Structure formats: structure tokens, C-alpha cells
Amino acid sequence: MVVPSSGATLLQCAMESREELAGDFKYHYCFNRMLPGHAKAVAGLAFCREGGWLVSADGSGDLRVWDARAWAEAAKLKGDHKEPLLGLALSPSARPWLVAARPSALSIFASGGRWPLECSLPVMVNPESGEASAWRCIAFSPAAVEVDHECGAAGHGNEFAAVSTTHLCLLDYSNGWSPDMARRTHSVLRYSRVTCMAFMPCGSWILTGHECGHVLVWNAFSLTLDRKLSAHVGAVSSLAVSPKGARYSAHFASGGMDLSICLWKGATWTAEQSTFDTKSAVDERAEQNLSDQGARAGVSSLAFSSCGTWLLSATKELCVWRVACP
């Protein structure tokens, strides 16, 4: 496990803090409404950057798009009931693309109307052995800029990353989506299996979490490995990156099967803090070799709020952390 550098505590459980901030214990825990419609348990959620759309997915792979301004169902998208949903991603644009990842294909939906299926990208096939890999993780570059021009859509930084069991792929969707769209790839066979991924806010770096407990930092332009960070004892189970609008410099958080959360500084790639996800009970379960079934799931998810003030972590409980300005 990483040894955090000295300095002030950056992550503080919201329930421990005595200082009052707008929204403490009110906004974050106020029930508003229930959105019915899924026949099975909800397995994934994704908000667009502007907050106007919410996408939910259930265990069967069916998707529902919600207009978050009125909380009305905007579209119902049928999934593949034979395969589990691995992830959802919405592009950071005014008219977002929705990508749903399954082991055999990436399904891309165009926003607006009934959110029609634009393209389906199959997995990569090894030309020598003929064996197909399986998709694992997906992420959009947050640095994407799209411009509507009379001759068509334009812009820069319109990149989408996907990891399969064999390759890290970077796709340029500036000219639309198709199976033969421009892409760059790099083999990941020499490393342990990828479990999660994320872009840094600038879009210049890609982070991948691995089963061995390492976080790898990739240059998004050359798609070369820049460095390897020793993050956790056991697999890295989740990654989250601070938003551009945060009052502090770019940071990212990693969660592991060891039930710890590490906060990293993006400028120096150093760990600034390492803490357990919840109180002493979780700490004790970790010392007991993760004997509890819920503990073995690790930190299943991490997410920063849009302003960067809050970090949410999920295990058997949902824990809210306040991120103090360094």
C-alpha cells in the first residue's frame, strides 16, 4: 500500500467534521423522488456533464434515459440480456453520445429524440490466433470540444478510450462512429488485468487500475506508459478524477479491494493521503483478511461532485467525504 506524504488531512468524513458548509446533512440526504421503470436491480448510472440527462441501466442490460430537468423518461433502450453491462459513459458535449459497454460490443447511442443506436463496435480480434478479446472499461476525454459548423461537426480532443483484455484503445470520434474509425492501440498483455480507468481533467493522461494493485499512467497523445504507481494491496477496484472546476489542483482517488482510498496529486503523481473507507469496523474487517463478504467487494465505486467539494465512496455503505483545499 502507498505511504502518504506528510501534510494536512485532505479527506475528512462528512459525519466527523464540525464545520458547517452549505448542504451538510441536508442536500445530500434529502429524498426527492423515485424513478420507476426497471424490472431488475439498477446496475449503472451516468449523468451528462451539464446535468440535463441521466442514464440508468439494470441487470438485464436495458437502459433508460431521463430528462433530469423534469425527471421524465425520455427514451427506453433495449439491451442484450445475454451479457452483463460493464459500464456507461456520456461524452462531455452539449449533445452527448451515450456508450454502453458489454464484453462483446460497445453500443453508441445519439442523443435527442428516442436516442437511436448510432453504431456498435465489436471487440478486437487477434489476426494470428483468431481469438477475440473482451471489452473491460470505457471513458470519454473530459477535454473534448465540439463545434457545430455549416460543413459538419468539428472540434478537438474528441477522444474515447476503451480497454479490452488485450489492448488499450483510443478512438477519435470527431468524424462520427464506425467500426473502421480512426484509432490507436497499445497492448496490455504484459500487465495484470485492467479493472477500471479514467481520464485526468486535462485529457492528456489516462489512468488504468489493475488487479495487481497498481495504477498505470498513460500518455494520451503517444499512448505510451509514463509511470506505474503502487496503490493498493490487492486489486484496484475504482478510480475517480477531480473536476476542472475544483478549487484545488488536479487530483484523483483510487479505491481498492483492501478497503482503502488513496488521494493522489496529479502534478507530481504522489499519494497525499490514504484512509479506510469507513470507521473502525471496516478497519477491523480489513485486518481480519477481509473475511466479510461485503468487505471482499472492496471500494466498488468512487465519484467526485461537480464542484469537487465532495467525494463519495461505496462499499456496503455510502460514505461522503469532504475534500479540503490543500
Side-chain angles (χ1 to χ4, degrees):
M1 183 188 298
V2 296
V3 178
S5 58
S6 60
T9 299
L10 300 175
L11 286 182
Q12 183 178 29
C13 185
M15 298 300 291
E16 296 176 345
S17 175
R18 295 181 179 179
E19 177 190 359
E20 291 188 3
L21 284 181
D24 277 6
F25 318 124
K26 298 176 183 178
Y27 175 83
H28 291 280
Y29 298 102
C30 181
F31 177 78
N32 185 271
R33 69 190 66 211
M34 183 179 294
L35 302 177
H38 285 291
K40 296 187 177 182
V42 176
L45 294 170
F47 257 113
C48 71
R49 185 167 65 178
E50 302 301 327
W53 301 103
L54 168 68
V55 180
S56 59
D58 61 29
S60 68
D62 290 344
L63 310 176
R64 277 174 169 76
V65 182
W66 308 87
D67 184 342
R69 291 159 292 192
W71 295 114
E73 185 179 289
K76 185 186 299 183
L77 311 176
K78 204 66 175 174
D80 185 349
H81 294 192
K82 297 180 181 179
E83 286 191 310
L85 182 76
L86 300 177
L88 295 171
L90 283 160
S91 65
S93 55
R95 294 181 298 178
W97 296 99
L98 166 63
V99 179
R102 297 181 179 85
S104 66
L106 303 178
S107 300
I108 297 94
F109 301 89
S111 60
R114 304 306 298 175
W115 290 68
L117 179 65
E118 179 78 10
C119 179
S120 182
L121 301 179
V123 295
M124 299 179 63
V125 177
N126 188 321
E128 297 181 357
S129 64
E131 295 182 0
S133 58
W135 295 116
R136 298 278 300 169
C137 314
I138 56 174
F140 274 100
S141 169
V145 175
E146 293 184 358
V147 179
D148 287 331
H149 189 270
E150 59 183 4
C151 296
H156 59 84
N158 298 322
E159 293 179 320
F160 171 78
V163 175
S164 71
T165 51
T166 59
H167 287 82
L168 168 62
C169 304
L170 195 63
L171 300 96
D172 184 349
Y173 61 92
S174 300
N175 297 318
W177 300 84
S178 67
D180 57 350
M181 63 191 296
R183 69 178 68 187
R184 287 173 284 149
T185 63
H186 192 289
S187 174
V188 293
L189 286 173
R190 73 186 71 177
Y191 312 106
S192 64
R193 179 171 294 190
V194 178
T195 56
C196 50
M197 72 179 304
F199 267 95
M200 289 299 287
C202 61
S204 301
W205 306 99
I206 300 173
L207 309 173
T208 55
H210 294 255
E211 286 184 342
C212 64
H214 292 157
V215 173
L216 302 189
V217 182
W218 301 84
N219 186 309
F221 300 104
S222 61
L223 216 58
T224 54
L225 180 64
D226 183 79
R227 66 191 64 220
K228 184 186 297 184
L229 308 175
S230 180
H232 298 274
V233 176
V236 180
S237 52
S238 54
L239 289 169
V241 177
S242 63
K244 287 184 177 181
R247 293 180 296 170
Y248 46 85
S249 62
H251 282 65
F252 75 91
S254 62
M257 296 291 287
D258 56 3
L259 291 168
S260 69
I261 299 172
C262 297
L263 191 67
W264 304 78
K265 188 173 183 179
T268 57
W269 305 113
T270 54
E272 292 194 335
Q273 186 180 350
S274 179
T275 184
F276 278 100
D277 179 67
T278 49
K279 305 283 187 177
S280 56
V282 170
D283 198 347
E284 292 173 2
R285 289 203 299 267
E287 293 178 357
Q288 294 171 2
N289 295 320
L290 308 181
S291 59
D292 182 82
Q293 177 62 37
R296 288 202 297 272
V299 182
S300 61
S301 183
L302 291 169
F304 280 92
S305 63
S306 59
C307 61
T309 304
W310 308 101
L311 173 68
L312 275 71
S313 62
T315 51
K316 292 184 68 176
E317 303 170 313
L318 184 63
C319 194
V320 182
W321 305 85
R322 181 182 298 166
V323 185
C325 293

